[in-house]
Every structure is written in C-alpha cells, then in structure tokens.
C-alpha cells in the first residue's frame, strides 16, 4: 500500500509539473502549484518514513530480510528492500524551466518506485507459493497420520478377532474332548 501511495503522489506531481511547464501561467500560478507539490512531496516522505513492519522500515532501510519458508534449514527466502528515502528527488515547479526538468526527474523516480514494487510483488508471489506448498504438505501429513491411526485400529481389531476365534476354538475342542471322555467312561461302565 505504501508504494501505491507513493506512485499516486508521483502521478500528481507529474500532472503539476506538466501544468507548471505551460508557458501561459504566471509566477503566482506556479507558486501555487509549487505549494501543492511541496505538500505532496511531504506526504511521500511521510509514507517512506512510516511504512514499517515491526521495527523494520520497509521503504527506507535498504536491508535484506531473510524469512523461513519451510521446515528445512535451507528453506529460506530473502527479500531485498529498496531505500527510497534517497532515491526520490525533490522537484521545483516554481518556474517553467524547473517544471520541465522535474518531468524528466519524476519519470526516473517513477521507474525506481515501479522497480521496487515489482521486486516486492515477485517476493510476495514467491511467499504465496511457499504458503500454498506448506499448506498442501500440512494437509498431506494430517491425512497420513489419520491413515496410520486407522491402520492401527484395523490391526488391533484383527488381532482381537483372531484371539477370540482361537479362544472359541479352544473351548470347542475342550468341550468335545470332555464329551468324548464322558461317553467312553459311560461305555466302559456298561
């Protein structure tokens, strides 16, 4: 959002520079345009100074941020921040020559901000891809854990049924043996 605000301010400055470069304006007109341009530049400077994440100034530090993007030691992404505090040039629209010069300067500044925005956009896309990959990995691990628990329950059920069948078979054999022994004893007694 900070870079978008800066780009919007730069577009306004370019419009003001185009107006100020017009030969039909008076010095008083250009002074009014310069006052408006100064306000816009102050807003841009404020955005650059105050766009932060925690203790990191995202638009004026020029630092490289390393982010852990996965479970492994090497699963890291680096984001190089652009220092815009010194990259953007103040413009003077109080006279026609300054306004014409400002149009060239503003074009270069817009390219700088566009490049920074592109770099951060690419980094954001990479992070979204990592998030998507990690979400899929997390879901796969949860499904695997569920399958393992299901397999353990099935194995335990199978062992319990096997033990029950063996116990019932043992009882049946013992009952038959007892019946046979009783019959033989009765045959011997008769």
């Amino acid at each position: 959002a900070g870079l978008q605000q800066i780009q919007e301010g730069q577009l306004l400055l370019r419009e003001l520079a185009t107006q100020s470069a017009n030969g039909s304006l008076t010095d008083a007109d250009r002074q009014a345009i310069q006052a408006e341009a100064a306000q816009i530049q102050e807003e841009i400077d404020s955005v650059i100074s105050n766009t932060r994440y925690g203790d990191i100034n995202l638009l004026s530090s020029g630092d490289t941020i390393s982010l852990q993007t996965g479970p492994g030691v090497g699963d890291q992404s680096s984001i190089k921040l652009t220092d815009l505090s010194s990259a953007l040039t103040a413009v003077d629209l109080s006279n026609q020559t300054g306004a014409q010069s400002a149009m060239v300067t503003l074009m270069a500044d817009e390219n700088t901000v566009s490049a920074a925005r592109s770099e951060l956009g690419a980094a954001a896309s990479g992070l979204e891809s990592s998030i998507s990959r990690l979400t899929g990995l997390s879901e796969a691990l949860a499904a695997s854990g569920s399958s393992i628990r299901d397999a353990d329950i099935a194995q335990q059920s199978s062992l319990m049924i096997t033990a029950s069948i063996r116990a019932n078979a043992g009882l049946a054999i013992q009952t038959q043996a007892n019946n046979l022994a009783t019959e033989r004893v009765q045959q011997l007694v008769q």
Side-chain angles (χ1 to χ4, degrees), residues 99-120:
Q100 290 169 342
S101 175
M103 289 193 298
V104 174
T105 300
L106 288 168
M107 184 66 73
D109 288 353
E110 287 175 22
N111 290 339
T112 300
V113 172
S114 290
R117 194 169 180 184
S118 294
E119 288 176 24
L120 286 177

Side-chain angles (χ1 to χ4, degrees), residues 181-190:
T182 305
E183 285 177 20
R184 287 193 181 190
V185 168
Q186 286 176 353
Q187 284 176 354
L188 288 174
V189 172
Q190 291 177 353

Side-chain angles (χ1 to χ4, degrees), residues 12-108:
L12 291 173
L13 285 173
R14 190 155 34 119
E15 287 177 19
L16 292 174
T18 303
Q19 289 174 14
S20 183
N22 185 343
S24 65
L25 294 179
T26 65
D27 286 343
D29 294 334
R30 286 191 181 92
Q31 290 302 322
I33 289 173
Q34 178 59 37
E36 187 176 348
Q39 270 187 324
I40 294 169
Q41 287 175 319
E42 284 179 20
E43 289 174 21
I44 289 173
D45 289 341
S46 176
V47 169
I48 290 171
S49 298
N50 296 316
T51 302
R52 306 178 80 71
Y53 180 78
D55 292 338
I56 301 169
N57 189 310
L58 299 175
L59 301 178
S60 67
S61 69
D63 292 338
T64 299
I65 301 171
S66 293
L67 302 171
Q68 186 70 29
T69 55
V73 174
D75 293 336
Q76 293 187 345
S77 293
S78 295
I79 300 173
K80 173 73 171 121
L81 302 175
T82 303
D83 183 358
L84 295 177
S85 61
S86 60
L88 304 181
T89 310
V91 294
D92 179 14
L93 305 180
S94 62
N95 60 60
Q96 190 174 12
T97 305
Q100 290 169 342
S101 175
M103 289 193 298
V104 174
T105 300
L106 288 168
M107 184 66 73

